[in-house]
Amino acid sequence: KKIAQRCNFIIKTYRLNILGVPFQEFQVNDTDTLNTILELIDEKSMFEMRAYDNKLKNVLKILQDARLVIAMRLHAGILASLVSTPSLPLSYMEKVNSFWFESLGVTPLNIYTASFDDLIKAFNIIWNSNRSPQKLDLSLQDESLIRNILQA
């Protein structure tokens, strides 16, 4: 419900289309979660969902074409950083906090404790600067390295 409220705010305030991209289909099915969010979106034409895709090149293309990524999944944030797409990392577990802080010195917003104002403030900072906090410096040519990072 909170995520849908934030999406509605972003749609109304910035007139941005939101693309929901599932990154997990097993333990927790992201597609089910995105469908729940879609039901709560006021302007459904502004919220598009993609099917789960495990082909790295397809996912990188989606993230590279985005103007900004709000990354609830660690993988989305890592891949957005690899293709230099501005991203706002959200955290739902300790490994996410640790990765962002230890790798880039960034403290992600905790989805359980961050207020609506915290999220909007962070979104505005990244949106107005049009850049991520930092970029991961890894070669996209080394697909095996990327896959190993994502499986960690």
Side-chain angles (χ1 to χ4, degrees):
K1 188 173 180 178
K2 286 183 179 183
I3 295 170
Q5 290 171 336
R6 277 111 177 121
C7 289
N8 281 324
F9 178 84
I10 291 168
I11 290 168
K12 289 175 187 167
T13 304
Y14 297 95
R15 300 306 305 160
L16 293 174
N17 291 320
I18 295 180
L19 176 62
V21 181
F23 274 81
Q24 185 169 324
E25 64 176 350
F26 300 111
Q27 295 173 351
V28 175
N29 188 316
D30 287 350
T31 301
D32 291 344
T33 302
L34 290 169
N35 278 321
T36 301
I37 293 168
L38 177 59
E39 290 174 15
L40 300 171
I41 296 296
D42 295 333
E43 296 182 57
K44 293 186 182 2
S45 65
M46 301 287 285
F47 190 94
E48 177 187 348
M49 281 183 32
R50 292 286 169 94
Y52 175 80
D53 189 340
N54 64 359
K55 293 181 179 70
L56 183 59
K57 290 182 184 192
N58 296 344
V59 174
L60 288 174
K61 177 70 172 137
I62 290 168
L63 295 174
Q64 190 171 31
D65 291 346
R67 291 174 66 189
L68 179 105
V69 172
I70 299 175
M72 277 199 53
R73 292 281 181 206
L74 180 57
H75 299 138
I78 292 170
L79 294 174
S81 185
L82 286 171
V83 296
S84 300
T85 298
S87 64
L88 171 57
L90 302 179
S91 171
Y92 56 94
M93 55 194 310
E94 187 54 39
K95 78 173 185 177
V96 175
N97 289 336
S98 298
F99 172 82
W100 287 111
F101 189 76
E102 291 172 15
S103 300
L104 300 174
V106 172
T107 302
L109 289 177
N110 184 301
I111 64 167
Y112 301 112
T113 61
S115 70
F116 181 80
D117 289 339
D118 292 338
L119 178 67
I120 298 308
K121 181 179 176 184
F123 178 87
N124 282 328
I125 290 168
I126 294 170
W127 180 254
N128 291 327
S129 68
N130 200 27
R131 64 179 183 83
S132 293
Q134 288 190 30
K135 177 182 179 293
L136 289 176
D137 189 20
L138 295 173
S139 170
L140 288 177
Q141 304 304 314
D142 192 351
E143 190 168 319
S144 64
L145 174 62
I146 294 170
R147 287 198 182 278
N148 287 338
I149 291 171
L150 297 179
Q151 291 172 0

